Amino acid sequence: QVQLVESGGGSAQAGGSLRLSCAASGYTYSSGCMGWFRQAPGKEREGVASIYSRGGGRTYYADSVKGRFTISEDNAENTVYLQMNSLKPEDTAVYYCAAGPPFSCPLGTDGATMWRNNFGYWGQGTQVTVSS
């Protein structure tokens, strides 16, 4: 049974930082693509960042978080992280960890995006709230 468990969510002031973690059981992160999604109330779930370690550490970031968020992966610990800096109120959402095949990770071209249906495994989510 594959289990993805997020942690590290909470409250922060605008301009502050939070670090999310995703621990995997029954799954090896190095085997495929790992990603972070988020969903605010009444809005669609959107891709935030992804990483494919076997692809030379290829990463992807949504334009809304580029330069502020950093995704990383510790294969030895089977854990993926999302470092969130310079937080904004619009970052408030439930953040989900997800895993999928290598092709789930965007190539980083101009038209690249993260497709939810490409990710087969999901965590339960962790709440992030940013106040102004």
Side-chain angles (χ1 to χ4, degrees), residues 80-99:
V80 66
Y81 305 94
L82 185 67
Q83 179 66 46
M84 304 184 295
N85 297 326
S86 301
L87 285 165
K88 304 176 180 179
E90 49 263 46
D91 294 321
T92 296
V94 177
Y95 284 71
Y96 298 90
C97 176

Side-chain angles (χ1 to χ4, degrees), residues 4-62:
L4 303 179
V5 181
E6 302 96 337
S7 62
S11 299
Q13 296 182 3
S17 299
L18 287 172
R19 188 193 190 204
L20 306 183
S21 300
C22 176
S25 300
Y27 184 87
T28 302
Y29 282 174
S30 62
S31 66
C33 173
M34 299 299 304
W36 287 95
F37 290 77
R38 67 185 182 184
Q39 186 168 21
K43 297 184 178 180
E44 297 181 1
R45 188 173 301 186
E46 63 175 347
V48 175
S50 68
I51 185 169
Y52 177 43
S53 295
R54 294 176 65 185
R58 185 174 76 235
T59 58
Y60 164 85
Y61 297 95

Side-chain angles (χ1 to χ4, degrees), residues 121-132:
Y121 304 109
W122 294 84
Q124 293 298 306
T126 184
Q127 177 70 48
V128 170
T129 302
V130 183
S131 61
S132 59

